[in-house]
């Protein structure tokens, strides 16, 4: 029977959609077949269900995820009574449960439902479904005393109705009250209680919501612009000089359509990044002339400009109560919600209380979730991104910050980076106060005080090549060299580059400055190939064109260690065009010699070679070609004989099998530097940065262990 979690509340405005998203994330980390069921809905499709369905690629038929509408429920309740209503909903729930390993149930929303004693209805459904109950109590604009009382009352009410309460969550609590509420509730509670502070970015509507609410016509702007958060509304009536001083980051300007000066001034300010606005809403149905609109489109491409027929006052009235919501059109809010949930909820504790056994299958989504979870660790790491004006890098940075994965340093001219951030309508918190959450900063290599220090250091490192401090002054302004020196000098924990730079431009500074680790012969790379039901490790597909036998053995050992560090049990297959002793020739002999070297150097590893790809991964073929092998048919680490074979194979598998290729991940360096494919997508960059943060954690742990061992040895000598 599937394990189910029923998320509900006690009233409106509790923001429980963020909790529902967070619980879904937990479930999908553990098992690969998770269902969603909303017993009662206002319409046949629901924005939260559709968000979960799309984000987590659920393959259940959409109609199975809904029980019935509130209108149908009221009619059935009046005609046949509560037992018939509950009975039908239980039957529909079981249709979902039978197909899944876990089910997330979304309780009623307490919004004009006309369901009598709605809390009791949720309690009964949770009990009939056999689900754990997770009540969410809203704390928006409530005092600490009120929040504490409401949480205790809700717990008492649900337990009195026989519910198995998983935990209690107080959501949208004022930041100043969080610690007090947490302390008071933890002191008197039989279940874990988590307190999540209010996050303005979640309650801020998007530009798209403003357009929908006002019935506006969009004149300019793209999909990314419409997804921007509107943090406040600014009504324009003043003269331009005074008006510009009132602009704030993320504001939406609302002004009569005949005020072309305010339209152009707002967009010019946005283009300059001081400050970046959400968009402009023109009132009274007036659209500026073509010349003005052409200038507006060039000033701030993508920034939304829309027009409404009403005047400013009715427009303001319609927007006064508008709040943001999670949905398929607001992916950035989803990242913010998940980051908030993971920061303030003990996800390990909550997962253990759900009592889900982790699936033996590892899907791409599960692997990616695990990367982000591990990257956060107990201490956020600092990763430097040299390509600070590249759109994909900046979009990935926003995801990483919203998910609280790591601190980021963006390299480039500060004005250029800020201008690009403004053009894209992103929120990187560049001017925000320091908090416990991940933050971003900008460093310009040309003007940074670090330039002189780095020039001296680089000249020292490359003195054997005749490098001088004067020449190094120019070298270190290159963002790849500057970022690598930040890592070398301990000012950053890792670096990720390559979205617009070549592999050589990324790797060469690392070879010169960071160099190979003591146990490695060469620097090599792997890709994590996330197939539908498992994760394989491919090496080397990006760095070494034609390794000899010794180098191939080194790549195999490094790749096995990398696989183990990321949770993939290493069973190593060194690939060739023949299997076992069936073939001969220089290429096969190289692989055979490399296999023997791996066995002698690392007898603890399971290794097979030479072996063909099909015999390495397919049990039926392995049974014929290499019966009795511990690796054949079960290989997880596949080592290609040369770069040509490896690079083409990974791309063929990626495209033809729909695999997610995470990498290349460099191995063999003293400190983590990773390269990106120039075709990398935003999610590829997010994954690679997460891997870099994990590598940094592991390097720090190894250094700490070595230091402790040294101290212990010194103590023993002294004694």
């Amino acid at each position: 029977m599937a394990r189910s979690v029923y998320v509900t509340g006690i009233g409106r405005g509790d923001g429980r959609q963020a909790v529902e998203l967070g619980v879904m994330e937990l479930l999908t980390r553990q098992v690969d077949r998770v269902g969603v069921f909303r017993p009662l809905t206002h319409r046949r499709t629901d924005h939260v269900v559709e968000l979960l369905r799309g984000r987590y690629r659920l393959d259940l038929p959409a109609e199975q995820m809904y029980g019935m509408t509130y209108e149908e429920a009221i009619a059935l309740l009046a005609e046949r009574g509560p037992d018939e209503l509950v009975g039908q909903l239980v039957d529909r729930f079981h249709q979902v449960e039978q197909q899944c390993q876990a089910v997330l149930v979304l309780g009623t929303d307490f919004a004009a439902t006309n369901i009598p004693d709605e809390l009791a209805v949720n309690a009964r459904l949770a009990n009939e479904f056999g689900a754990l109950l997770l009540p969410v109590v809203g704390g928006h604009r409530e005092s600490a005393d009120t929040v504490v009382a409401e949480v205790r009352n809700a717990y008492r009410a649900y337990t009195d109705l026989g519910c198995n309460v998983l935990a209690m969550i107080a959501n949208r609590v004022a930041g100043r009250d969080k610690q007090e509420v947490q302390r008071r509730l933890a002191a008197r509670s039989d279940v874990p209680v988590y307190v999540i502070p209010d996050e303005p970015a979640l309650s801020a509507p998007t530009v798209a919501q403003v357009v929908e609410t006002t019935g506006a016509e969009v004149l300019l702007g793209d999909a990314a612009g419409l997804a921007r958060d509107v943090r406040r509304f600014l009504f324009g009536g003043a003269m331009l000089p005074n008006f510009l001083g009132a602009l704030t980051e993320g504001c939406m300007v609302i002004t009569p359509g005949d005020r072309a000066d305010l339209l152009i001034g707002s967009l010019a300010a946005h283009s300059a990044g001081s400050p970046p606005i959400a968009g402009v809403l023109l009132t009274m149905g007036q659209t500026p002339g073509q010349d003005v609109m052409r200038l507006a489109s060039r000033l701030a491409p993508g920034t939304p400009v829309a027009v409404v027929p009403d005047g400013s006052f009715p427009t303001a009235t319609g927007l006064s109560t508008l709040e943001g919501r999670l949905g398929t059109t607001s992916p950035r809010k989803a990242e913010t919600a998940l980051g908030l949930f993971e920061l303030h909820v003990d996800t390990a504790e909550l997962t253990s209380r759900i009592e889900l056994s982790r699936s033996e299958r590892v899907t791409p989504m599960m692997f990616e979730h695990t990367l982000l979870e591990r990257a956060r660790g107990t201490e956020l790491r600092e990763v430097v991104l040299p390509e600070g004006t590249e759109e994909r890098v900046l979009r990935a940075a926003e995801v990483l910050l919203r998910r609280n994965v790591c601190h980021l340093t963006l390299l480039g001219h500060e004005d250029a980076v800020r201008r690009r951030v403004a053009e894209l309508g992103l929120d990187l918190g560049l001017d925000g106060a320091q908090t416990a959450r991940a933050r971003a900063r900008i460093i310009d290599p040309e003007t940074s005080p670090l330039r002189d220090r780095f020039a001296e250091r680089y000249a020292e490192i490359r003195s054997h090549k005749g490098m001088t401090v004067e020449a190094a002054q120019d070298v270190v302004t290159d963002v790849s060299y500057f970022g690598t020196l930040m890592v070398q000098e301990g000012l950053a924990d890792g670096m990720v580059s390559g979205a617009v730079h070549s592999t050589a431009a990324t790797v060469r500074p690392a070879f010169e400055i960071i160099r190979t680790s003591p146990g490695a012969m060469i620097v090599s790379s792997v890709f994590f190939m996330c197939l539908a039901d498992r994760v394989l490790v491919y090496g080397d597909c990006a760095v070494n064109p034609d390794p000899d036998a010794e180098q191939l053995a080194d790549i195999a050992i490094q790749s096995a260690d990398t696989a183990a560090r990321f949770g993939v049990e290493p069973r190593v297959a060194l690939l060739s065009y023949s299997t076992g002793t069936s073939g001969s020739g220089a290429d096969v002999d190289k692989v055979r010699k490399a296999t023997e070297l791996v066995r002698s150097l690392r007898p603890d590893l399971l290794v097979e070679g030479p072996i063909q790809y099909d015999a390495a991964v397919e049990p039926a073929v392995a049974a014929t070609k290499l019966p009795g092998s511990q690796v054949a048919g079960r290989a997880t680490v596949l080592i290609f004989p040369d770069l040509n074979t490896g690079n083409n194979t990974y791309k063929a598998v990626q495209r033809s099998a729909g695999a997610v290729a995470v990498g290349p991940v460099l191995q063999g360096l003293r400190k983590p530097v990773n390269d990106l494919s120039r075709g990398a997508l935003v999610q590829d960059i997010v994954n690679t940065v997460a891997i870099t943060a994990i590598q940094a954690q592991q390097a720090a742990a190894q250094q700490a262990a070595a230091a402790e061992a040294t101290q212990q040895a010194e103590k023993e000598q002294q004694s």
Side-chain angles (χ1 to χ4, degrees):
M1 183 176 72
R3 197 63 162 149
S4 303
V5 179
Y6 193 117
V7 180
T8 185
I10 61 172
R12 297 189 63 183
D14 53 28
R16 90 185 70 139
Q17 296 88 355
V19 175
E20 291 164 344
L21 187 63
V23 173
M24 188 67 177
E25 187 87 0
L26 293 187
L27 297 178
T28 54
R29 287 177 191 167
Q30 301 298 309
V31 295
D32 64 320
R33 191 150 182 83
V34 181
V36 172
F37 184 67
R38 186 181 282 288
L40 297 170
T41 180
H42 288 282
R43 55 190 67 85
R44 286 297 177 183
T45 58
D46 174 86
H47 63 95
V48 176
V49 173
E50 293 307 304
L51 167 65
L52 298 175
R53 183 165 170 260
R55 184 181 181 89
Y56 297 100
R57 301 188 282 277
L58 306 181
D59 57 5
L60 285 171
E63 61 272 12
Q64 285 192 10
M65 299 184 185
Y66 302 96
M68 63 182 72
T69 65
Y70 285 104
E71 290 78 5
E72 292 169 335
I74 290 296
L76 186 61
L77 194 61
E79 183 179 346
R80 300 188 186 180
D83 289 345
E84 181 65 22
L85 170 63
V86 171
Q88 288 196 24
L89 292 176
V90 169
D91 289 343
R92 295 177 190 185
F93 168 75
H94 285 319
Q95 292 177 15
V96 174
E97 184 187 40
Q98 289 166 5
Q99 303 175 64
C100 302
Q101 297 165 283
V103 180
L104 172 63
V105 185
L106 314 179
T108 65
D109 60 11
F110 295 85
T113 61
N114 294 320
I115 297 289
D117 200 357
E118 203 163 337
L119 187 148
V121 170
N122 282 296
R124 182 171 179 189
L125 289 176
N127 290 339
E128 297 290 353
F129 295 168
L132 298 167
L133 192 76
L134 183 58
V136 181
V137 175
H140 185 51
R141 296 179 179 171
E142 301 287 357
S143 67
D145 289 342
T146 300
V147 174
V148 170
E150 290 285 1
V151 170
R152 289 174 178 165
N153 289 339
Y155 176 71
R156 190 178 304 111
Y158 280 116
T159 53
D160 287 349
L161 290 167
C163 297
N164 185 1
V165 177
L166 171 65
M168 297 292 299
I169 292 183
N171 192 33
R172 300 193 68 187
V173 175
R176 64 180 180 277
D177 295 333
K178 180 187 182 298
Q179 297 300 328
E180 181 187 352
V181 171
Q182 183 77 66
R183 177 183 55 79
R184 290 171 61 181
L185 288 174
R188 291 174 51 195
S189 179
D190 297 328
V191 298
V193 181
Y194 308 115
V195 180
I196 302 177
D198 195 26
E199 172 54 65
L202 287 178
S203 56
T206 62
V207 176
Q209 281 183 263
V210 172
V211 168
E212 178 186 354
T213 301
T214 59
E217 177 190 355
V218 178
L219 304 176
L220 297 174
D222 55 22
L226 291 170
R228 295 177 187 173
D229 292 335
V230 179
R231 301 188 192 176
R232 66 181 284 249
F233 296 105
L234 176 62
F235 292 86
M239 298 301 291
L240 182 60
N242 294 328
F243 175 77
L244 290 176
L247 289 173
T248 57
E249 185 172 345
C251 73
M252 185 161 201
V253 173
I254 301 177
T255 185
D258 61 358
R259 291 298 303 272
D261 59 330
L262 299 188
L263 169 65
I264 296 301
S266 300
L267 296 178
H270 174 90
S271 179
S274 57
I277 63 173
V280 180
L281 188 63
L282 304 173
T283 63
M284 303 181 69
Q286 295 180 318
T287 302
Q290 292 184 356
D291 291 342
V292 173
M293 293 306 295
R294 275 196 295 269
L295 177 58
S297 67
R298 293 171 184 167
L299 274 175
T303 298
V305 177
V307 60
V308 293
D310 293 330
S312 296
F313 182 76
T315 300
T317 303
L319 295 174
S320 61
T321 58
L322 184 62
E323 281 205 346
R325 69 183 186 191
L326 294 175
T328 55
T329 60
S330 55
R332 296 165 65 201
K333 286 190 183 299
E335 301 296 348
T336 300
L338 286 171
L340 196 66
F341 182 86
E342 289 158 346
L343 185 64
H344 298 285
V345 173
D346 187 337
T347 54
E349 179 183 47
L350 196 59
T351 302
S352 67
R353 287 179 62 81
I354 297 173
E355 296 178 351
L356 278 174
S357 298
R358 184 178 287 272
S359 173
E360 293 184 2
R361 282 171 27 110
V362 179
T363 66
M365 186 179 298
M366 292 168 68
F367 184 73
E368 290 176 347
H369 290 344
T370 301
L371 287 181
L372 298 187
E373 185 180 19
R374 289 184 60 188
R376 290 183 200 97
T378 56
E379 180 183 351
L380 295 183
R381 297 290 161 179
E382 180 92 30
V383 177
V384 60
L385 304 175
E387 297 154 326
T389 58
E390 164 59 29
E391 177 177 348
R392 290 165 295 158
V393 170
L394 291 172
R395 293 196 183 281
E398 185 180 51
V399 173
L400 291 159
L401 295 171
R402 289 184 178 231
R403 293 298 300 275
N404 200 45
V405 174
C406 60
H407 298 306
L408 299 174
T409 297
L410 301 169
L411 298 185
H413 297 299
E414 182 162 357
D415 288 345
V417 175
R418 287 183 179 275
R419 187 178 303 111
R420 192 66 175 131
V421 170
E423 289 172 356
L424 298 171
L426 302 178
D427 179 12
L428 304 187
L430 294 171
D431 298 312
Q434 295 296 314
T435 67
R437 300 191 65 174
R439 57 101 188 105
R441 61 177 176 174
I442 302 170
I443 294 180
D444 184 348
E446 292 188 5
T447 60
S448 171
L450 294 170
R451 181 177 176 178
D452 292 340
R453 169 182 165 183
F454 284 179
E456 292 178 5
R457 184 75 177 103
Y458 182 70
E460 178 187 343
I461 292 171
R462 302 294 290 173
S463 60
H464 64 289
K465 294 291 185 179
M467 178 58 62
T468 65
V469 173
E470 290 73 18
Q473 283 279 352
D474 292 330
V475 173
V476 301
T477 59
D478 178 284
V479 290
S480 296
Y481 276 92
F482 192 93
T484 304
L485 281 158
M486 285 187 69
V487 176
Q488 174 64 22
E489 295 298 289
L491 302 175
D493 299 301
M495 184 180 87
V496 174
S497 187
V500 292
H501 290 90
S502 67
T503 294
T506 300
V507 173
R508 186 185 300 111
F511 286 169
E512 293 180 4
I513 297 166
I514 295 177
R515 301 174 181 172
T516 57
S517 57
M521 178 184 296
I522 56 174
V523 173
S524 60
S525 73
V526 296
F527 279 90
F528 290 96
M529 300 299 294
C530 304
L531 305 177
D533 60 349
R534 55 187 158 166
V535 176
L536 301 178
V537 176
Y538 284 10
D540 174 7
C541 305
V543 179
N544 297 285
D546 188 18
D548 59 28
E550 289 76 14
Q551 292 171 331
L552 200 60
D554 189 63
I555 292 169
I557 292 170
Q558 287 189 52
S559 300
D561 290 341
T562 298
R565 283 195 288 268
F566 285 91
V568 178
E569 182 182 353
R571 293 186 291 273
V572 184
L574 281 89
L575 302 175
S576 180
Y577 59 78
S578 71
T579 295
T581 58
S582 65
S584 61
D587 292 337
V588 180
D589 292 342
K590 178 180 79 169
V591 175
R592 185 175 289 114
K593 181 180 178 182
T595 304
E596 293 169 355
L597 284 170
V598 174
R599 285 175 174 151
S600 64
L601 293 169
R602 289 289 299 276
D604 58 304
L605 289 177
L606 296 177
V607 60
E608 192 68 72
I611 185 172
Q612 291 161 289
Y613 190 98
D614 58 348
V617 300
E618 179 53 52
V621 177
T624 301
K625 293 189 174 183
L626 274 179
S629 171
Q630 293 181 285
V631 174
R634 302 172 61 238
T636 56
V637 180
L638 296 113
I639 306 302
F640 295 92
D642 54 60
L643 185 60
N644 180 55
T645 307
N647 192 270
N648 280 295
T649 302
Y650 108 75
K651 288 181 178 177
V653 173
Q654 180 186 30
R655 300 302 177 186
S656 61
V660 175
V662 180
V665 177
L666 298 185
Q667 52 192 15
L669 288 168
R670 292 175 183 266
K671 295 184 178 183
V673 171
N674 283 310
D675 182 35
L676 295 166
S677 164
R678 273 173 280 182
L681 303 176
V682 171
Q683 189 58 46
D684 299 331
I685 300 171
V686 169
N687 291 337
T688 303
V689 172
I691 284 176
T692 305
I694 296 169
Q695 289 178 314
Q697 292 170 358
Q698 294 165 346
Q702 290 172 353
Q703 290 175 358
E708 184 177 351
T710 301
Q711 290 177 354
Q712 185 62 34
E714 290 174 352
K715 288 180 180 178
E716 291 176 357
Q717 289 178 349
Q718 292 172 358
S719 60

